[in-house]
């Protein structure tokens, strides 16, 4: 890629003629897993991004190149039958990592097909293309890499097809691109189709940006009061990629769903979030993080190494917890304002050979 302008501009440079897009990833501050059963969660979009490009192809194919996974796939869309077969594909018959992106393409095409003037033939709506993704986020470690890859795919496909439709078919009609809410819903449909059980948390967080509360699997921008959001903005989190996960989110969510103690644990997590929403003290916030972590431990989704990081985060910072689906992956640590403590923390994290340390910022949708 020659051009670093990732703002979704058409014609990124003269020889590639492609569209560029990007999406953030996320951390869950409180409430992962419980949120799948309707309890509240608080999440934040972060500025580790998935970048992508899309360009039209002459051959009647959809090509997907996933640089981080080292996977490529080609889908034939030569005949109407091939297109219709793809649109009704059972995604869980694909057992490759490419399936999130393939499902995002399928569900975006279905959405556009259902919401375009019925006079437009499906062969004219769906143009061949090549899509490439690359992420700054480590894959499958609790930072919402799936949601970020899926949303970038939806942005790219809808933008390419929208602009083609405008040029070739509906020159007199204004094409309005998909709203953030529409894209969040399509992205959620993908996570749900693949995970089986899923909440809207990751997909809505990467689509809306900022800090969100999800309750009853719904997003209401008025749920969080400004004072609380402003307080969280003063908190600095360190993200630690502790170790590779042995299981994907889909498996971890199923496993937790079968845990007989889950309701008792989830309601305690709900109580922590109630306290949190009136909190404006970082020490208390850090303690609440550790309480949430201990409940995630009871769900058997922490590991020895994550627990070691939580101890370091409590000793040299104000508190810590795992983030995302767990089973390995990432932890977040709330830093105090003393830069010496931060240095000691990072030195100690390096001593136990964690895989990565990120100082990320909150991402706001522009
Ligand atoms: N850069 C990427 N390119 C293509 N597919 C990706 C990319 N990143 C993630 N994925 C897809 O998402 C899967 C990982 O999703 P998973 O939900 O298990 O992890 P996560 O989203 O990082 O963690 P969590 O859901 O806990 O936040 C990968 O196996 C792959 O299918
Ligand atoms: C574990 C989980 O709560 C968050 C994964 O980031 C799953 C979900 O909400 O779908
Ligand atoms: Mg995921």
């Amino acid at each position: 890629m020659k051009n670093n302008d990732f703002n979704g501009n058409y014609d990124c440079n003269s020889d590639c003629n492609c569209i560029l897009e990007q999406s953030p990833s996320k951390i869950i501050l409180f409430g992962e897993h419980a949120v799948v059963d309707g309890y509240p969660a608080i999440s934040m979009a972060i500025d580790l991004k998935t970048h992508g490009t899309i360009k039209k192809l002459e051959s009647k194919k959809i090509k997907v190149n996933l640089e981080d996974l080292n996977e490529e796939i080609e889908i034939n869309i030569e005949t109407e039958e091939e297109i219709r077969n793809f649109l009704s594909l059972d995604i869980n018959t694909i057992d490759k990592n490419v399936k999130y992106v393939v499902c995002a393409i399928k569900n975006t095409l279905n959405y556009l097909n259902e919401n375009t003037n019925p006079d437009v033939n499906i062969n004219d709506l769906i143009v061949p293309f090549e899509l490439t993704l690359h992420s700054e986020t480590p894959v499958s470690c609790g930072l919402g890499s799936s949601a970020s890859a899926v949303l970038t795919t939806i942005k790219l496909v809808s933008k390419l097809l929208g602009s083609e439709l405008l040029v070739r078919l509906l020159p007199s009609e204004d094409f309005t691109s998909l709203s953030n809410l529409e894209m969040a819903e399509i992205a959620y449909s993908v996570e749900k189709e693949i995970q089986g059980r899923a909440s809207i948390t990751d997909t809505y967080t990467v689509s809306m940006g900022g800090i969100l509360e999800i309750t009853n699997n719904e997003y209401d921008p008025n749920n969080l009061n400004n004072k609380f959001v402003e307080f969280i903005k003063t908190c600095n989190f360190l993200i630690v990629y502790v170790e590779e996960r042995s299981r994907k989110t889909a498996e971890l969510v199923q496993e937790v769903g079968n845990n007989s103690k889950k309701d008792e644990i989830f309601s305690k997590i709900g109580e922590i979030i109630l306290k949190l929403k009136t909190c404006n003290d970082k020490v208390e916030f850090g303690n609440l993080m550790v309480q949430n972590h201990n409940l995630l431990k009871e769900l058997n989704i922490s590991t020895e190494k994550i627990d070691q990081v939580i101890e370091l985060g409590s000793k040299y910072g104000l508190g810590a917890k795992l983030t995302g689906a767990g089973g390995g992956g990432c932890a977040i640590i709330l830093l105090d304002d003393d830069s010496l403590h931060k240095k000691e923390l990072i030195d100690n994290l390096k001593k136990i050979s964690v895989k990565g340390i990120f100082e990320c910022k909150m991402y706001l949708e522009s």
Side-chain angles (χ1 to χ4, degrees):
M1 193 173 302
K2 293 179 187 161
N3 190 325
N4 268 336
D5 174 7
F6 288 116
N7 292 322
N9 297 330
Y10 204 57
D11 290 336
C12 71
N13 61 41
S14 51
D15 42 334
C16 129
N17 204 28
C18 48
I19 297 172
L20 307 170
E21 274 295 349
Q22 63 176 16
S23 309
S25 43
K26 61 90 221 196
I27 51 177
I28 297 190
L29 296 172
F30 289 87
E32 47 277 271
H33 288 286
V35 72
V36 178
D37 277 19
Y39 292 87
I42 311 277
S43 57
M44 182 166 95
I46 55 169
D47 63 350
L48 288 173
K49 296 181 215 101
T50 303
H51 303 277
T53 63
I54 194 167
K55 65 178 179 193
K56 252 171 64 176
L57 280 184
E58 292 308 321
S59 58
K60 293 260 179 191
K61 283 182 195 324
I62 292 174
K63 281 190 177 181
V64 179
N65 309 316
L66 301 179
E67 293 177 357
D68 308 297
L69 311 176
N70 213 6
E71 278 185 23
E72 289 180 6
I73 193 168
E74 285 192 5
I75 301 153
N76 286 328
I77 50 161
E78 182 122 25
T79 62
E80 188 163 330
E81 194 192 353
E82 280 175 341
I83 294 177
R84 293 206 182 274
N85 283 343
F86 175 56
L87 294 186
S88 57
L89 172 73
D90 174 357
I91 203 67
N92 290 311
T93 57
I94 300 186
D95 92 15
K96 290 172 118 191
N97 286 326
V98 77
K99 75 183 186 184
Y100 275 92
V101 170
V102 172
C103 191
I105 295 172
K106 173 177 81 87
N107 292 10
T108 309
L109 296 182
N110 272 315
Y111 186 89
L112 295 173
N113 188 30
E114 282 154 21
N115 290 282
T116 309
N117 183 334
D119 296 339
V120 176
N121 185 287
I122 201 161
N123 285 314
D124 293 322
L125 173 69
I126 297 175
V127 297
F129 61 79
E130 178 167 1
L131 180 144
T132 302
L133 287 190
H134 162 66
S135 186
E136 297 164 24
T137 319
V139 174
S140 198
C141 73
L143 300 182
S145 67
S146 59
S148 186
V150 163
L151 182 68
T152 305
T153 304
I154 296 168
K155 286 179 178 171
L156 290 168
V157 174
S158 61
K159 204 156 201 169
L160 177 75
L161 266 57
S163 40
E164 283 301 308
L165 205 57
L166 179 64
V167 172
R168 296 178 306 120
L169 297 166
L170 304 169
S172 60
E173 287 183 32
D174 284 340
F175 172 75
T176 41
S177 54
L178 297 183
S179 67
N180 286 352
L181 260 184
E182 285 177 297
M183 291 196 278
E185 266 308 298
I186 301 171
Y188 171 54
S189 73
V190 174
E191 297 242 284
K192 180 116 179 59
E193 209 168 319
I194 295 175
Q195 279 178 216
R197 283 160 40 78
S199 81
I200 65 170
T201 314
D202 292 11
T203 45
Y204 270 64
T205 308
V206 299
S207 305
M208 301 302 162
I211 297 165
L212 272 66
E213 178 182 342
I214 304 298
T215 304
N216 294 322
N217 207 28
E218 281 170 14
Y219 163 65
D220 175 352
N222 300 318
N223 262 353
L224 288 179
N225 70 50
N226 275 345
K227 200 170 152 211
F228 179 68
V229 173
E230 289 310 312
F231 165 66
I232 296 191
K233 284 186 189 164
T234 66
C235 296
N236 291 316
F237 300 99
L238 197 70
I239 299 178
V240 185
Y241 181 11
V242 181
E243 62 191 345
E244 263 181 42
R245 297 200 315 201
S246 53
R247 290 158 291 170
K248 296 261 154 59
T249 295
E251 297 161 77
L252 288 150
V253 169
Q254 294 303 332
E255 211 176 284
V256 169
N258 295 331
N259 188 312
S260 59
K261 291 197 305 191
K262 71 166 185 175
D263 287 323
E264 197 190 317
I265 295 173
F266 289 169
S267 59
K268 287 184 188 161
I269 292 175
E271 284 164 25
I272 290 176
I273 293 174
L274 258 187
K275 281 192 203 149
L276 175 81
K277 285 176 69 178
T278 56
C279 165
N280 59 8
D281 172 64
K282 289 188 189 173
V283 173
E284 189 191 346
F285 191 98
N287 288 337
L288 293 172
M289 284 171 76
V290 175
Q291 286 175 31
N292 191 160
H293 180 75
N294 288 336
L295 291 163
L296 294 173
K297 252 170 98 169
E298 284 187 41
L299 286 172
N300 298 323
I301 56 161
S302 189
T303 65
E304 234 173 84
K305 193 149 181 181
I306 289 197
D307 292 343
Q308 257 181 304
V309 170
I310 307 310
E311 266 182 39
L312 292 176
S314 305
K315 185 168 172 194
Y316 298 105
L318 296 175
K321 63 180 273 296
L322 73 75
T323 190
C330 287
I332 47 173
I333 297 174
L334 177 61
L335 297 171
D336 66 20
D337 297 326
D338 186 333
S339 58
L340 260 179
H341 290 165
K342 182 171 152 192
K343 189 184 171 307
E344 276 181 295
L345 172 64
I346 292 177
D347 288 346
N348 278 285
L349 288 169
K350 285 183 179 160
K351 273 190 206 152
I352 61 164
S353 308
V354 297
K355 282 181 78 72
I357 299 173
F358 301 95
E359 287 190 59
C360 62
K361 293 203 178 68
M362 181 169 77
Y363 179 93
L364 286 168
E365 262 303 308
S366 44

